[in-house]
Structure formats: C-alpha cells, structure tokens
C-alpha cells in the first residue's frame, strides 16, 4: 500500500553538491517526491527534530551539524516507503553500509552521513509535520 515517509538531504551532502545525485537515486528507486524545500535550521530547531536522541552522547554534535548549513527536507511516497528508503540509505555508519546504498556512495562518517529517513509510521508523521504544513502536501 502507498505510504509516505520523510527524508532530509543533510548539510554534508548539500555542501559537497550531491543533492541532485541523491534525488536521482531516490527517483530511480521509484519514490514520488510529494514535497521538497531548501532550508537552514537553527540549533534549537534541530534539537526539536531530534528530541528522541536528547540523552545520547552525540546529541550536541548531531544538532550542531544539522544546523551547520542548508538541508533539503522532503516527503516521499511509494509502496512500503519507510522500509524501502531505509534500505536505499544503508547503515547509519557508512563504513557498514552495503554497496549501492546512498550512504555508501555519499557519506563520509557516522555523524556526517548524507541522508535521514524516518524509521516508523509514527516518526514519519511527526517529522513530516515538523517541516511541512498541510497545504504543502497535496
Ligand atoms: P537518521 O535518523 O538520521 O535517519 P539513523 O536512523 O540511521 O539515522 P539514528 O540512530 O536515528 O540513525 O541516529 C540519528 C543520527 O545521529 C544519525 O544519522 C547520525 O547522523 C547521528 N549519529 C548516530 N550515532 C552517532 C554516533 N555514534 N556519533 C555521531 N553521530 C551519530
Ligand atoms: Mg533515526
């Protein structure tokens, strides 16, 4: 059944000029881009997005990084979108990511790993609402 997920092309990939190549991979894999925009977020906005990780030792580093430059938040749609995007992204640590995955191709480290993807339906709903208003999601 058609499902929506939320993704972000992270600041490292945008800075390196990989946003277009990553979008091409996403479209080639059969995702429809429902909505996309280029924004820069503050550290406080990054903290709100990643609040589930607030007790983790890397929280400061993560939110500093996510507010370090422009990002492309987007809403994607296809059958089984949440799991399929996670598979296309590859492991969190690019050193462990499978050949052909976005993180294998474009990520430098576990911290600067090119792309975010929602991990469950409830997180996708929260994350889509964090970045997009209803009128942007037709
Ligand atoms: P994402 O949520 O961004 O899609 P993920 O679900 O693969 O990634 P999480 O465990 O949710 O991984 O971690 C969120 C993000 O925090 C990671 O994508 C990465 O950028 C950062 N992160 C995770 N573990 C570490 C770590 N050990 N050191 C530095 N940054 C980390
Ligand atoms: Mg995650």
């Amino acid at each position: 059944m058609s499902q929506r997920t939320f993704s972000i092309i992270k600041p490292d990939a945008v800075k390196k000029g990989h946003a277009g190549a990553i979008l091409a991979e996403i479209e080639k894999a059969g995702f429809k881009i429902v909505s996309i925009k280029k924004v820069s977020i503050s550290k406080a906005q990054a903290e709100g997005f990643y609040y589930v990780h607030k007790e983790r030792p890397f929280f400061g580093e993560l939110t500093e990084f996510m507010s370090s430059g422009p990002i492309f938040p987007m809403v994607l749609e296809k059958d089984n979108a949440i799991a399929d995007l996670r598979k296309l992204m590859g492991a969190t640590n690019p050193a462990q990511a499978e050949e052909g995955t976005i993180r294998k191709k474009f990520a430098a480290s576990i911290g600067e790993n090119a792309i975010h993807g929602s991990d469950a339906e409830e997180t996708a709903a929260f994350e889509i609402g964090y970045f997009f208003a209803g009128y942007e999601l037709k």
Side-chain angles (χ1 to χ4, degrees):
M1 214 183 73
S2 189
Q3 185 182 54
R4 285 183 176 186
T5 191
F6 175 78
S7 182
I8 298 176
I9 301 177
K10 295 187 178 182
D12 57 320
V14 177
K15 252 177 226 141
K16 291 178 192 160
H18 290 154
I22 291 172
L23 282 176
E25 297 276 338
I26 287 169
E27 286 194 312
K28 202 164 56 177
F31 291 88
K32 176 186 156 207
I33 300 170
V34 176
S35 203
I36 183 167
K37 54 189 170 186
K38 185 180 187 185
V39 295
S40 295
I41 58 172
S42 67
K43 189 152 193 288
Q45 287 168 328
E47 287 167 357
F49 179 74
Y50 277 119
Y51 78 97
V52 289
H53 293 313
K54 64 180 185 299
E55 307 300 338
R56 308 280 281 275
F58 55 81
F59 187 65
E61 187 189 327
L62 172 61
T63 52
E64 199 64 56
F65 166 61
M66 289 301 288
S67 56
S68 69
I71 58 176
F72 286 84
M74 60 189 150
V75 179
L76 304 174
E77 188 172 284
K78 81 185 276 295
D79 287 351
N80 205 29
I82 294 172
D84 285 0
L85 180 67
R86 300 280 298 181
K87 212 166 149 200
L88 180 66
M89 285 163 42
T92 309
N93 184 347
Q96 277 142 31
E98 279 180 54
E99 281 308 322
T101 61
I102 289 173
R103 282 171 170 163
K104 182 72 178 187
K105 287 181 187 164
F106 301 108
S109 68
I110 191 166
E112 307 206 350
N113 61 3
I115 187 165
H116 163 82
S118 306
D119 58 12
E121 270 189 43
E122 312 77 72
T123 43
F126 166 77
E127 293 173 355
I128 289 169
Y130 198 81
F131 278 96
F132 291 93
Y135 75 88
E136 298 174 293
L137 296 169
K138 282 260 299 211

